[in-house]
Amino acid sequence: MAEGNGVLIIGESAGDELSLASQEILAAGRKVADDLGQELAIAVFGDAVDAVARTAIAQGADKVYAVTSPLLAQFQVELNLAAAETLCRETSPAIILVARTNQGREVAPRLAFRLGVGLAQDCLEVSIDTSNGKLLANRPVYGGNAVAVISCNQTPQVAAVRPKVYVPLEPDSARQGEVISFPVDLDVSMVRSRVIEVVKEEAEGVKLEDASIVVSGGRGLGGPEPFAQLEELARLLGGAVGASRAAVDSGWVPASYQVGLTGKTITPDLYITIAISGASQHMAGCSGSKAIVAINKDAEANIFKEARYGVVGDWETVLASMTEAVRELVQE
Amino acid sequence: MPAKIAVLAKQVIDPEMPMAAFQIDSNAKRVVTPPNIPPVVNGFDENAVEAALQIKDSQDVSVTVISSGSSFALDVMKKPLSMGADELVLLQDDAFDNSVDSFQTAQLLASAIRKLGGFDLIICGRQASDWDNAQVPLGVAELLGLSCVALGKKVELKDDRVVVERLIPDGYEVVEASLPALVTVSNELGQPRYPTLRGIMAATRKRPTIWSASDLELDGGEMEPRLTLHDLFVPVSNAECEIIEGDDEVDAGRRLALRLREENFF
Ligand SMILES: Cc1cc2nc3c(=O)[nH]c(=O)nc-3n(C[C@H](O)[C@H](O)[C@H](O)COP(=O)(O)OP(=O)(O)OC[C@H]3O[C@@H](n4cnc5c(N)ncnc54)[C@H](O)[C@@H]3O)c2cc1C
Ligand SMILES: Nc1ncnc2c1ncn2[C@@H]1O[C@H](COP(=O)(O)O)[C@@H](O)[C@H]1O
């Protein structure tokens, strides 16, 4: 593809709204577009785009491509990809940004491969290199033990940005933008896979991703039963329960509890870890927490290097007295 | 004809190595291979081998493991054979040292797959634990025009299709895809089986097929680097931990609650 101009975000809607991840990536894209001195566009798919387009413009977009086809009513990966590819080829952006959500983690690499270009995967930060106007991406590698700074050699430059890193811009309803209808021709024969059943396995109560307090348990708990005590503390604090991969792999809690590189990314105000060592792959999912608390019997555990408050001790004793004290304090 | 399954497996530095052994050569912009810690087959790729062998447990299929890299520890890469896979194909060339560029790796693997006559099902790990790219499999699927299902925790082969239980943030969904297909799997698939004594003996006798760049049809343009690595460094954490002490552990737990209350966390 030729030189390319502007920044294009592959957007996602959640119901009739622009998804939170798309709002976040608009903030990243706005900065990049300003530094380039070029336009920020976002593609939204499906028919119900009015509210979505308004939000997108209020939160930074100059242009909204309303990509439509009777086949785009619901997300279907091959159809979405084909539509995104057509739009990218026709509008030739210099930079494409995708939020690395459940959908984005599949769409971004496949789109980049279709366009024959590289992808900066799982970025924590994207910026413009002022010396040459190219996109620079910071991304964790080796489970978060290292950070790589990379750029893409071809145009468009594509980056997938980790959710919950950027904060959406304050909506400004006075901002002006253009909504461009972009009908695409899709064919059902592009569909190679279909969902035949959806099984939800989530805990009741506050969602782990949305909770402002999370209590997480690790291998040091020794079995599934102690999670009842974590639930109790979480309930008193109005929070949710999470776990390390070791606890999930042991079968103590379902996979949907896992926090980390290959689990959920969470950014609570308070993250309380119980008998978790703090491996980099675990921290990758919770390092955006405002404060981390560690309860661990090993004073040398890595978690104390990341935590704001810590108690070195046996979890059973410490958690029990902590929970009692919390109970008294919330009843006051 | 028995169905043909390929597993794509990467040799990586052991991610469970002690953090103190993790070092970066900042001039070369690479992670130093720790001298006394043997590499391993990427964990999720062992899950991929397990997924293939579970199919082989009940159906007549062949399982070929394919790996690309600049150098291999043969005893490490033979582990999938000792678990029960049939064949090992190593794409080995100095030019295949491609940790950064998923595009090149996917091209190499796709070209080997074509040379091997294609497969009904290709199973991969969800990501390699070194560069955590999670994109080589999706690239291979795109390059070969295969159906693609990511993040499987159960994979079943049924006549002309593959049925996958695939992880989603709040549970899983059952997805059906037409063959030929590529599926990536996650650790939720369960513990990979241990090699049996018989398996280990059979694996010792098996010779891997080894192909270098000249054995693969690679046209220059496709192998052109897609990414540039500017810097590689260890991030520094600047958290200062306040260790809460008390008369004993009971007291420390109580004080922790008070401290968090004081800071208005709840
Ligand atoms: C590619 C890859 C992806 C990964 N993704 C993730 C991920 O998404 N999430 C994740 O969590 N991990 C992930 N991991 C695994 C990660 O590397 C660690 O193995 C895992 O996080 C360890 O879990 P843990 O802290 O519960 O267990 P351990 O590391 O075994 O730690 C247990 C801790 O409990 C403490 N303890 C034991 N008994 C007591 C007691 N009585 N009282 C108090 N403390 C006690 C110990 O001191 C120890 O620190 C991944 C690994 C790889 C290779
Ligand atoms: N060099 C390689 N050789 C064989 N398979 C690979 C290689 N690199 C990646 N893969 C496969 O692709 C998956 C994801 O890797 P990555 O995209 O590098 O994170 C791995 O789990 C393997 O199944």
Side-chain angles (χ1 to χ4, degrees):
Chain A
M1 257 193 235
E3 266 312 280
N5 194 279
V7 179
L8 174 68
I9 290 170
I10 306 297
E12 258 179 56
S13 24
D16 290 343
E17 299 291 326
L18 186 66
S19 77
L20 180 59
S22 292
Q23 296 173 36
E24 293 166 6
I25 202 163
L26 274 168
R30 189 63 263 167
K31 176 84 175 58
V32 166
D34 285 343
D35 289 350
L36 262 185
Q38 295 178 6
E39 260 181 354
L40 176 64
I42 182 169
V44 295
F45 302 83
D47 286 326
V49 294
D50 283 357
V52 175
R54 239 177 291 124
T55 312
I57 292 168
Q59 295 195 115
D62 301 313
K63 256 187 201 165
V64 177
Y65 289 107
V67 184
T68 53
S69 151
L71 293 178
L72 285 175
Q74 255 182 339
F75 178 82
Q76 206 293 330
V77 67
E78 288 102 356
L79 296 171
N80 242 64
L81 267 169
E85 183 189 354
T86 309
L87 179 70
C88 293
R89 288 193 187 281
E90 240 163 83
T91 59
S92 305
I95 292 172
I96 300 172
L97 300 178
V98 186
R100 195 169 181 265
T101 56
N102 186 41
Q103 294 178 12
R105 63 172 77 226
E106 188 158 350
V107 167
R110 293 182 69 177
L111 180 61
F113 269 93
R114 284 185 186 198
L115 299 172
V117 299
L119 165 70
Q121 179 69 295
D122 201 16
C123 306
L124 295 182
E125 193 187 343
V126 284
S127 61
I128 294 294
D129 179 344
T130 44
S131 70
N132 59 8
K134 293 201 69 168
L135 187 74
L136 270 186
N138 273 31
R139 57 157 311 212
V141 295
Y142 282 86
N145 281 305
V147 174
V149 182
I150 56 177
S151 64
C152 302
N153 299 347
Q154 285 84 6
T155 307
Q157 306 161 76
V158 192
V161 180
R162 190 182 284 188
K164 301 211 174 175
V165 177
Y166 282 88
V167 179
L169 298 174
E170 209 46 59
D172 171 3
S173 53
R175 271 196 96 249
Q176 297 292 313
E178 193 185 352
V179 180
I180 300 161
S181 166
F182 190 89
V184 281
D185 252 339
L186 299 172
D187 185 335
V188 270
S189 71
M190 291 169 175
V191 177
R192 307 280 284 277
S193 61
R194 64 189 187 99
V195 177
I196 49 183
E197 194 189 345
V198 178
V199 183
K200 303 264 180 190
E201 277 183 338
E202 227 170 16
E204 284 166 36
V206 195
K207 268 174 94 114
L208 180 52
E209 302 89 309
D210 303 337
S212 55
I213 299 185
V214 172
V215 185
S216 249
R219 176 154 33 216
L221 292 176
E225 299 81 13
F227 274 91
Q229 283 153 261
L230 272 63
E231 300 278 357
E232 174 61 10
L233 178 60
R235 198 185 55 75
L236 289 169
L237 294 170
V241 173
S244 72
R245 174 167 151 189
V248 171
D249 278 353
S250 306
W252 302 341
V253 285
S256 56
Y257 280 58
Q258 186 175 316
V259 171
L261 183 67
T262 50
K264 289 187 168 147
T265 304
I266 57 169
T267 51
D269 294 333
L270 190 62
Y271 185 54
I272 306 174
T273 65
I274 322 268
I276 287 180
S277 65
S280 62
Q281 294 91 350
H282 184 78
M283 302 319 294
C286 60
S287 55
S289 308
K290 290 221 179 68
I292 295 175
V293 174
I295 299 176
N296 194 304
K297 68 174 183 190
D298 174 11
E300 298 301 313
N302 188 61
I303 190 72
F304 290 113
K305 297 198 178 76
E306 313 265 353
R308 172 101 63 87
Y309 308 98
V311 174
V312 180
D314 179 50
W315 71 265
E316 216 167 335
T317 319
V318 179
L319 179 63
S321 69
M322 177 187 183
T323 307
E324 258 341 286
V326 167
R327 194 191 313 278
E328 284 164 25
L329 289 167
V330 294
Q331 273 164 5
E332 263 172 26
Chain B
M1 275 264 285
K4 286 172 72 184
I5 301 180
V7 173
L8 307 186
K10 185 178 190 185
Q11 176 182 305
V12 294
I13 290 178
D14 188 349
E16 304 278 325
M17 73 176 169
M19 277 191 184
F22 186 84
Q23 279 183 349
I24 287 175
D25 175 343
S26 41
N27 286 329
K29 292 179 276 196
R30 41 187 315 140
V31 172
V32 178
T33 307
N36 299 317
I37 302 166
V40 294
V41 174
N42 181 43
F44 299 119
D45 303 353
E46 289 197 3
N47 296 121
V49 175
E50 175 61 31
L53 295 178
Q54 281 176 10
I55 296 171
K56 193 175 159 77
D57 286 341
S58 62
Q59 292 178 46
D60 182 19
V61 299
S62 67
V63 178
T64 304
V65 177
I66 309 172
S67 188
S68 149
S70 53
S71 73
F72 289 104
L74 203 54
D75 52 333
V76 170
M77 288 317 292
K78 275 194 169 184
K79 184 171 179 191
L81 292 178
S82 57
M83 289 165 73
D86 301 292
E87 265 185 85
L88 177 63
V89 179
L90 298 176
L91 317 179
Q92 184 177 4
D93 197 302
D94 285 344
F96 297 173
D97 178 21
N98 42 23
S99 45
V100 186
D101 230 302
S102 299
F103 203 95
Q104 292 177 337
T105 310
Q107 292 283 356
L108 289 172
L109 293 165
S111 126
I113 289 164
R114 274 192 214 103
K115 188 172 161 116
L116 290 163
F119 291 86
D120 302 290
L121 178 62
I122 298 173
I123 310 181
C124 304
R126 65 181 286 172
Q127 71 195 57
S129 62
D130 46 10
W131 279 76
D132 294 315
N133 264 318
Q135 51 172 324
V136 166
L138 306 182
V140 171
E142 285 297 331
L143 294 170
L144 297 172
L146 311 173
S147 347
C148 177
V149 186
L151 299 181
K153 67 178 190 105
K154 188 168 177 200
V155 185
E156 286 177 298
L157 189 61
K158 290 187 175 161
D159 308 320
D160 58 343
R161 60 194 206 281
V162 60
V163 180
V164 184
E165 286 181 9
R166 119 176 241 281
L167 295 158
I168 51 175
D170 50 1
Y172 66 92
E173 56 189 22
V174 186
V175 180
E176 205 175 70
S178 58
L179 299 180
L182 181 145
V183 176
T184 79
V185 298
S186 186
N187 53 290
E188 284 81 356
L189 192 111
Q191 272 287 331
R193 65 193 62 191
Y194 290 104
T196 59
L197 207 54
R198 236 180 77 206
I200 294 172
M201 270 155 47
T204 345
R205 284 190 302 270
K206 277 184 189 147
R207 290 250 195 99
T209 304
I210 300 182
W211 286 336
S212 67
S214 59
D215 296 308
L216 299 172
E217 274 174 42
L218 305 164
D219 84 58
E222 295 306 342
M223 288 300 287
E224 218 171 274
R226 258 54 183 184
L227 296 175
T228 300
L229 175 63
H230 299 277
D231 197 6
L232 186 66
F233 61 91
V234 174
V236 280
S237 146
N238 40 21
E240 277 279 339
C241 188
E242 175 182 330
I243 299 287
I244 315 258
E245 298 184 63
D247 302 336
D248 53 20
E249 288 180 0
V250 174
D251 191 35
R254 205 177 52 81
R255 281 170 192 261
L256 173 60
L258 286 168
R259 186 79 182 90
L260 296 177
R261 177 65 160 200
E262 215 173 271
E263 293 293 329
N264 283 319
F265 282 111
F266 68 95

